[in-house]
Amino acid sequence: MTLKRLLMATTAFALLGTIAAPAMAQTTLRLVSKDLLTTNPDDVKEIEAIEAALKAQGTDVDIQIVDLPGSSYADALGVMLLSGDIPDIMYFQGGDQKMAEQGILEDLNPWIEKSAHIKDALWPHNVDRLANYPYLLYVYPPRAPQPVIRQDWLDKLGMEPPTTVEGYEALFQAIHDGDLDGDGTAGNTLGLTGYGTTAELDSVFNQAFGVTGTWMKNADGAWVNSRVTDAEKAKIEFYAGLAAKDLFDKEFVTNTWDVKEDKFYTGKAGVIFGSSPEVIDIYTGKMRQAHPGEEIDLALLPAPSGPGGQGLAAVDVSKESRGWAISSLSENKEAAFAVLDFMASKEGQDIDRMGFEGVHHNTDASGAVTYTDQISTWYARFFNAANWTSPTPLLSPTAQQALDNLKSDFTPDNAFVWPADYAADVDATEQVYRSWVAKFITGEASFDQWDQFVSEYNAAGGSRMAEYAATVLK
């Protein structure tokens, strides 16, 4: 057969195939995400709702959930991918950079540029992170913990929310000295509790002490990590001063998140940090459960002003630390992206954010939506789009204010993605920093040893990292 006849025959068969094929061919997509499981009826029901909505729009997909254990998700996902089993759509919570370096992850920027919905749903930090690292998509507000206190406690104290560092210390002292929990004993309540590290406190105190970014210039004009600056020292001295007066929880290092929360609910601590607006509302619900019959509300406390201005800490925009990716090896990349793009649309967000009709919300004959108590157990599996508006308030006024702060206080950090051969330095310096901070705050180390900390930090990789930073930063 001549080449011409072969091409004609091929075209004829293609036409026959087109005529005989159904109007809409179904595409199978494999999707893996942390805590998205075939054994969870809500997960399965949401995926089915997404499939139905996409089919109505002309995209017929069969989304198959890949089950992985939540407790060791990042490791399990890495093992699966390295074995050659690579789903079309993947949620990463670490381990993505290694896969991106091996060319397994799709560059999402060209897809987002021509998207119908995602490009309008991005938060400002998403745009910056995608420009720096185009493989992960996590359409959520930045995580910037903000402090809250029981409104009735604040009212009993007769104090306005603090706007300065000194005002915060005065508030913590008043909480400590008062008998706000009504147990008949004053002086036994912590002003503030936390867990693990001081990252929560840093969210509101960094700017107040002049810690304006990950990298700052020293007196000689050289770039140094902010953790070895005088501004950082002043901030840690403030934390240590609070702890010395029993205003800040010295047990923060050994506290877990649930221990931290319990101290707040039981009145052992007056102020707690919520990692997101939604978490602040969860705190409100749990506080009311702990005190039945009391209509308790939480008040949001603002970031204090200081040398760096007033606002939340600068947001790392070097890359997403978690998020959605598409396999560069997938034969169905267009359909895979269509799923993510749909989840950023109003219809997709309604499914992902509002839960199920008759369970998590109800709609009356006029179209008005009301949420049921079950909405407190619902969570978005995909996105929290910046441009989505709930048909009725989904957040409390306090949580909404926290969300508004995330929008108005956004300042990009100057952190960047480290090359792989700096991983050991990053880990080592982090361990040195956290260890010394804990010792400073608990009183195990004095601030006369600050230079010793700086030397140890630099020896652990800080100096090498600063040399590289000087080649990256302008």
Side-chain angles (χ1 to χ4, degrees):
M1 181 181 293
T2 65
L3 178 60
K4 183 177 180 179
R5 287 186 177 182
L6 180 60
L7 291 172
M8 291 174 63
T10 301
T11 302
F13 277 119
L15 289 171
L16 285 172
T18 302
I19 294 170
M24 189 188 308
Q26 186 179 72
T27 301
T28 298
L29 294 173
R30 297 174 68 239
L31 178 150
V32 61
S33 180
K34 186 177 186 295
D35 298 326
L36 190 73
L37 302 168
T38 57
T39 54
N40 184 336
D42 280 354
D43 291 347
V44 173
K45 189 174 179 180
E46 175 168 357
I47 292 298
E48 290 173 347
I50 294 167
E51 291 172 338
L54 280 166
K55 187 172 183 178
Q57 294 181 5
T59 301
D60 190 2
V61 292
D62 173 24
I63 302 173
Q64 298 181 354
I65 299 173
V66 179
D67 290 322
L68 282 183
S71 59
S72 57
Y73 178 78
D75 291 337
L77 178 60
V79 170
M80 184 177 75
L81 299 182
L82 290 173
S83 74
D85 184 3
I86 305 173
D88 302 279
I89 304 173
M90 298 164 281
Y91 177 82
F92 282 91
Q93 201 168 43
D96 56 278
Q97 192 170 347
K98 182 186 298 183
M99 300 305 164
E101 290 169 354
Q102 294 185 28
I104 292 174
L105 306 186
E106 180 78 0
D107 182 341
L108 297 175
N109 280 332
W111 294 92
I112 292 172
E113 180 58 32
K114 61 183 181 182
S115 68
H117 308 291
I118 286 180
K119 63 183 175 183
D120 296 322
L122 299 177
W123 297 83
H125 69 285
N126 293 144
V127 176
D128 291 343
R129 288 176 179 175
L130 282 163
N132 293 324
Y133 185 84
Y135 308 108
L136 284 192
L137 181 67
Y138 191 63
V139 187
Y140 275 85
R143 283 185 171 270
Q146 298 179 62
V148 291
I149 184 175
R150 286 176 54 162
Q151 181 67 59
D152 58 326
W153 281 26
L154 192 61
D155 293 340
K156 286 180 183 179
L157 293 172
M159 302 178 71
E160 293 294 322
T163 57
T164 64
V165 169
E166 295 77 16
Y168 263 94
E169 183 168 358
L171 173 64
F172 296 149
Q173 190 70 60
I175 292 170
H176 178 266
D177 294 344
D179 180 24
L180 298 176
D181 57 0
D183 67 354
T185 305
N188 64 346
T189 302
L190 294 162
L192 171 69
T193 187
Y195 82 106
T197 72
T198 60
E200 292 181 326
L201 284 70
D202 297 341
S203 179
V204 298
F205 288 113
N206 264 7
Q207 299 286 2
F209 282 93
V211 182
T212 54
T214 296
W215 296 95
M216 298 170 60
K217 287 190 175 181
N218 63 14
D220 298 325
W223 287 107
V224 296
N225 194 289
S226 61
R227 288 176 165 178
V228 297
T229 61
D230 290 341
E232 180 73 17
K233 181 183 179 183
K235 183 187 70 178
I236 302 302
E237 283 181 314
F238 171 67
Y239 296 163
L242 295 178
K245 298 175 183 177
D246 291 327
L247 306 185
F248 175 50
D249 192 354
K250 288 183 180 179
E251 297 176 347
F252 77 97
V253 176
T254 56
N255 285 345
T256 57
W257 64 268
D258 52 330
V259 170
K260 176 194 81 167
E261 290 183 15
D262 184 69
K263 289 182 178 182
F264 181 57
Y265 304 141
T266 58
K268 294 176 182 177
V271 174
I272 193 174
F273 280 78
S275 60
S276 71
E278 290 80 7
V279 166
I280 289 173
D281 275 346
I282 290 172
Y283 287 170
T284 303
K286 288 186 176 181
M287 180 65 82
R288 291 175 179 174
Q289 289 176 359
H291 301 272
E294 298 183 46
E295 193 65 21
I296 297 174
D297 290 312
L298 300 184
L300 185 71
L301 302 177
S305 60
Q310 182 174 21
L312 298 172
V315 176
D316 184 348
V317 296
S318 59
K319 70 182 289 291
E320 299 288 359
S321 61
R322 62 183 70 193
W324 293 95
I326 292 176
S327 167
S328 63
L329 307 178
S330 172
E331 296 179 356
N332 301 303
K333 286 186 278 191
E334 186 170 347
F337 187 79
V339 171
L340 296 182
D341 197 33
F342 170 75
M343 296 315 301
S345 71
K346 181 186 183 305
E347 187 174 356
Q349 283 290 279
D350 286 350
I351 294 172
D352 204 29
R353 304 287 300 283
M354 294 171 60
F356 306 130
E357 174 75 29
V359 179
H360 304 98
H361 68 274
N362 293 306
T363 307
D364 65 20
S366 69
V369 173
T370 56
Y371 291 107
T372 72
D373 291 341
Q374 294 299 312
I375 194 65
S376 63
T377 66
W378 181 259
Y379 56 93
R381 271 68 172 172
F382 288 85
F383 297 144
N384 182 334
N387 62 344
W388 181 77
T389 302
S390 173
T392 192
L394 184 57
L395 297 172
S396 70
T398 300
Q400 184 60 52
Q401 181 59 56
L403 181 62
D404 293 342
N405 289 349
L406 294 177
K407 297 176 182 178
S408 62
D409 288 0
F410 170 68
T411 302
D413 193 14
N414 56 6
F416 47 82
V417 177
W418 290 102
D421 60 347
Y422 281 84
D425 300 295
V426 173
D427 290 343
T429 52
E430 178 71 12
Q431 291 299 318
V432 169
Y433 173 77
R434 292 301 175 193
S435 175
W436 273 96
V437 167
K439 290 188 290 187
F440 285 135
I441 292 175
T442 59
E444 184 181 341
S446 74
F447 283 90
D448 292 338
Q449 297 172 276
W450 180 262
D451 290 342
Q452 183 180 339
F453 151 65
V454 173
S455 296
E456 188 174 329
Y457 183 92
N458 286 333
S463 294
R464 181 169 180 258
M465 292 164 63
E467 289 173 1
Y468 179 78
T471 69
V472 176
L473 302 171
K474 306 299 183 184

